[in-house]
Amino acid sequence: MSTVAVVDYGMGNLRSVAKAIEHVAAGATVKVTADPADLARADRVVVPGQGAMPDCMEELTARGLLEAVLRAAAEKPFLGICIGVQMLFQHSEEGNVPGLGILPGRVCRFPAAMHGPDGSRLKVPHMGWNQVAQVRAHPLWDGIADQSRFYFVHSYYVEPAEQSLVAASTCYGIPFTSAVTRDNIFAVQFHPEKSAQAGLRLLGNFMRWNP
C-alpha cells in the first residue's frame, strides 16, 4: 500500500489536494503532515500551497521541514503544486528571496501590462482555466490530451535556466513554463486538484509513477 505525505507548511489548500489523491488512489494512505519523520517514511511526497514565496520559505524553516523536503526531492516521487513548483528554484522576485535551489532558474512576476490576442488588458494574478501545451512526453501526461485546460491562480511563474527541465508551457499574455520535471520530480504551476478530470488523471498518474 502506497503512503503519500502532503506537506503542511501553513500555505493552504492541503485538504483538497489530499481528498483528490484519495479519490484517484483507493487504498493509498494519504497523510497531511508537518512532521519531517512522516516525509521520511512516505513512499511519495506532495508539496502544494498557495500564497507568497517569502512566507513559504520562512514556514518551511520554522517548522523544521526544509531538510526533509530536500531529501524527499532527492530520493522519492515528488510532486510540487503552485508554490510547490516555485520553491524548487534558486531565487524569486517575490520578496527577493532564495528558494530551495534544487533546480536552476528563477521565479518572475508577470509584466504589469499584458494583453490578450484581442488586445484586451489581462489582469494579474492569472486566475482561471488555461491550456497547457505538453513540451515533452512524460508518464504524468498519460491519458491527458495535449492542450488540455487546467486551473491557475498565480502572479509569478518559473523561468528554468535549462530547457530540458520544461515539461509544459502556457500562454497568458506571454508564454511561460507551467510544468517542470527532472528525474523523480514533477511540478506544476496549475492546480490539478481543481482541474476536473484532467487534474485527477495527472494525480492518478503520479500515484502510479515509478521514476
Side-chain angles (χ1 to χ4, degrees):
M1 181 184 297
S2 185
T3 304
V4 188
V6 178
V7 182
D8 180 4
Y9 58 107
M11 299 300 285
N13 208 43
L14 306 176
R15 300 293 169 184
S16 59
V17 173
K19 290 295 183 185
I21 295 172
E22 289 171 353
H23 178 75
V24 300
T29 299
V30 183
K31 188 169 187 178
V32 177
T33 180
D35 186 347
D38 287 333
L39 274 66
R41 286 190 292 262
D43 301 313
R44 302 169 186 273
V45 170
V46 180
V47 181
Q50 295 174 323
M53 184 74 159
D55 296 336
C56 162
M57 299 308 299
E58 183 177 334
E59 288 297 325
L60 282 175
T61 302
R63 294 170 186 239
L65 288 164
L66 199 62
E67 291 301 322
V69 169
L70 286 168
R71 283 196 301 272
E75 296 173 355
K76 54 191 72 181
F78 182 101
L79 178 64
I81 298 172
C82 195
I83 288 289
V85 65
Q86 295 179 13
M87 65 190 280
L88 296 174
F89 287 83
Q90 293 166 308
H91 188 268
S92 176
E93 289 183 0
E94 186 176 22
N96 191 30
V97 295
L100 295 176
I102 295 169
L103 302 178
R106 61 182 185 145
V107 180
C108 307
R109 195 183 196 283
F110 280 117
M114 296 191 300
H115 296 85
D118 61 356
S120 61
R121 183 78 173 262
L122 297 177
K123 295 180 179 179
V124 178
H126 171 211
M127 184 180 299
W129 295 83
N130 209 331
Q131 290 179 308
V132 171
Q134 298 170 19
V135 171
R136 67 186 69 254
H138 192 280
L140 266 69
W141 295 135
D142 180 58
I144 301 172
D146 190 21
Q147 302 292 342
S148 290
R149 297 173 70 83
F150 290 83
Y151 189 79
F152 290 82
V153 183
H154 64 122
S155 300
Y156 293 80
Y157 61 94
V158 299
E159 190 175 82
E162 299 172 1
Q163 183 62 28
S164 62
L165 297 172
V166 180
S169 66
T170 296
C171 188
Y172 185 71
I174 60 171
F176 69 91
T177 296
S178 51
V180 299
T181 186
R182 189 179 72 184
D183 301 330
N184 58 299
I185 295 171
F186 196 90
V188 297
Q189 184 61 66
F190 52 81
H191 288 271
E193 77 282 3
K194 296 181 179 180
S195 297
Q197 289 305 310
L200 291 175
R201 179 71 188 202
L202 188 144
L203 292 173
N205 289 342
F206 172 71
M207 293 301 296
R208 293 183 289 272
W209 182 36
N210 290 300

